Amino acid sequence: MQQFMAQLQHLFATPGSGPVNWDLARQVAASQLSAAGDPAVTPSERHAVEEALRLADLWLEPVSDLPSGIQTSVAWNRNEWIYKTLDVWRKLCDPVASRMVGAMGDLVPPEARAQLGPMQSMVTALGGALFGGQLGQALGSLAAEVLSAGDIGLPLGPAGTAALIPANIRAYGEGLELPEDQVRLYVALREAAHQRLFQHVPWLRGHVLSAVETYAVGIRVNREAVEEAMGRVDPTDPESMQAIALEGIFTPEDTPTQKASLARLETALALVEGWVCHVVDTASGDRLPSVVSLAEAFRRRRAAGGPAEQTFAALVGLELRPRRLREAAALWAALTEHRGIAGRDALWGHPDLLPSDDDFADPVAFARAQLDLGELDTFDFTAPGGPHEQAPGEQPPGGPDRRPDEPGSDERP
């Protein structure tokens, strides 16, 4: 009985504030990785990652008008990926989890809430533990698949830190039957390209993360599914909460507002991923022998999402897939052809300059259209969505020492 009470007390302990027991999420993810294996990064792997990222930045230099965004090159094991990205997952998942915890509280009849008194807080703790356990499993699965910090298109890692996961790159290369050094270099090119975007387009980080958060706010909670999940809780076995499947609890709200939020999110993810694919394939086209096979494999992987990514989508009702990746890549290619590299990358100067979802249908027409620079006089560059938009509590990407003449700066010569 003493052990049971200790387990129960530990499960209901929710450090800090928020709807998710993040301490439990970390423990579950770490336990899952420990069981599956989490190879330590060797000195030779660390050196190989640093060299791959250095070479990748050199290859990207002539095909991008945005300078290098890499301040630190690192190699992570799977646990480090979870630890280093958890702050961003917290921002993305807390809004969804709070809706589930609220729905659990609503299951208690109003007349019974007053009688419960302090016990009502246990309902909140139970919800946080349920979601934390499930989220820990999903993050543990993702950690075993992701290849780099920016692999799923979101700025998950610390700003300016380019990170690869050697164990996952090795396993992925074996599945493709391609040389590990070529796979590592291709992943490094993608990571370095993501860093250029998110470091030197000051508004982009906040724009993408706020698009995810806005969509998450509109997700509806299936109260019947919550009630069914609660019915499977065994109060004599706290660990049974980790085995409860919460898939199906969250469903997108079929409203015009939610559809617009989803379209905004998908367009943002597609534009980021399309630009990365285009510049990476251009940089490596005549240098990397397996580039055609690698490019196609990565496009399929990003378009379909891996098993762990699908599990995460089922858990929080959010798919992080750029559905129109090929169209977005074709659009950036057309812009390069008709406006040049500088003209193409100048569109990242403000979100209002970027192609819309409708422009995907005719990329050549958009690329040939003449931009009236006089319209920029009417833009409020400090408004939400402008260059200074960023996630709460974050420093502007690139740091306070950005030169006025660097891309993304507010100051105009």
Side-chain angles (χ1 to χ4, degrees):
M1 176 61 69
Q2 186 176 4
Q3 183 180 6
F4 164 74
M5 293 304 295
Q7 285 181 311
L8 194 64
Q9 184 178 14
H10 177 70
L11 189 64
F12 285 159
T14 51
S17 59
V20 178
N21 187 329
W22 286 100
D23 182 56
L24 179 62
R26 283 192 297 267
Q27 291 182 37
V28 170
S31 175
Q32 183 170 316
L33 288 177
S34 177
D38 184 15
V41 178
T42 66
S44 62
E45 286 176 329
R46 201 175 305 278
H47 177 72
V49 164
E50 292 172 353
E51 285 300 300
L53 287 166
R54 182 189 61 80
L55 183 58
D57 246 353
L58 288 175
W59 285 12
L60 289 173
E61 199 63 32
V63 300
S64 170
D65 201 48
L66 301 175
S68 171
I70 298 177
Q71 299 173 0
T72 307
S73 298
V74 295
W76 288 341
N77 64 13
R78 293 160 180 166
N79 258 305
E80 284 178 299
W81 178 84
I82 292 177
Y83 180 77
K84 299 292 187 180
T85 64
L86 206 60
D87 284 346
V88 176
W89 287 120
R90 188 191 302 268
K91 294 173 186 174
L92 298 180
C93 297
D94 274 354
V96 182
S98 65
R99 296 172 69 83
M100 187 201 77
V101 173
M104 290 178 65
D106 291 343
L107 294 177
V108 180
E111 60 273 12
R113 294 174 190 170
Q115 298 176 3
L116 282 175
M119 295 290 291
Q120 181 70 18
S121 63
M122 292 188 65
V123 176
T124 301
L126 176 60
L130 277 172
F131 201 91
Q134 293 284 291
L135 189 58
Q137 292 182 32
L139 290 177
S141 298
L142 269 175
E145 292 184 2
V146 292
L147 307 178
S148 68
D151 192 26
I152 62 174
L154 296 179
L156 296 175
T161 299
L164 306 188
I165 297 90
N168 294 352
I169 292 174
R170 180 168 57 253
Y172 184 66
E174 290 171 354
L176 296 178
E177 298 183 348
L178 292 174
E180 182 181 347
D181 60 339
Q182 291 193 41
V183 178
R184 180 172 54 245
L185 182 52
Y186 194 81
V187 175
L189 283 161
R190 289 176 51 81
E191 177 72 359
H194 275 106
Q195 291 294 332
R196 287 178 182 244
L197 268 185
F198 285 109
Q199 277 294 95
H200 295 290
V201 181
W203 54 267
L204 183 58
R205 186 180 182 91
H207 180 78
V208 171
L209 294 181
S210 67
V212 175
E213 293 169 6
T214 301
Y215 177 69
V217 168
I219 291 176
R220 182 174 60 87
V221 177
N222 185 333
R223 291 187 58 183
E224 290 76 14
V226 172
E227 191 169 5
E228 182 182 349
M230 290 290 293
R232 296 196 297 271
V233 173
D234 181 0
T236 66
D237 181 14
E239 293 183 359
S240 69
M241 299 179 191
Q242 299 178 19
I244 296 175
L246 296 181
E247 287 90 341
I249 282 182
F250 302 104
T251 55
E253 192 75 66
D254 190 19
T255 64
T257 300
Q258 185 66 352
K259 288 179 179 178
S261 297
L262 178 59
R264 178 175 178 246
L265 172 59
E266 290 182 341
T267 299
L269 292 175
L271 288 173
V272 168
E273 195 66 21
W275 186 89
V276 167
C277 286
H278 171 63
V279 299
V280 165
D281 292 351
T282 302
S284 59
D286 56 355
R287 290 168 164 159
L288 206 57
S290 303
V291 64
V292 175
S293 300
L294 283 165
E296 183 58 28
F298 271 81
R299 279 180 171 82
R300 290 177 180 174
R301 181 174 178 270
R302 287 297 291 121
E309 200 169 336
Q310 292 166 8
T311 299
F312 183 79
L315 174 61
V316 301
L318 178 61
E319 293 184 349
L320 300 175
R321 293 183 293 158
R323 295 180 180 274
R324 306 192 68 179
L325 171 56
R326 293 181 187 274
E327 294 97 321
L331 199 153
W332 289 117
L335 283 163
T336 305
E337 179 182 354
H338 293 282
R339 299 193 187 185
I341 293 172
R344 176 199 69 201
D345 292 349
L347 295 184
W348 291 108
H350 192 279
D352 289 352
L353 301 178
L354 288 175
S356 67
D357 186 61
D358 294 337
D359 295 319
F360 286 17
D362 194 347
V364 174
F366 178 83
R368 286 178 172 172
Q370 294 298 312
L371 176 65
D372 183 3
L373 296 179
E375 294 177 359
L376 293 178
D377 294 336
T378 65
F379 288 162
D380 182 0
F381 280 79
T382 62
H388 289 292
E389 181 180 350
Q390 59 200 56
E394 293 178 337
Q395 292 295 321
D401 299 326
R402 181 193 314 283
R403 300 191 312 271
D405 58 339
E406 284 187 357
S409 173
D410 307 338
E411 300 182 36
R412 297 291 181 264

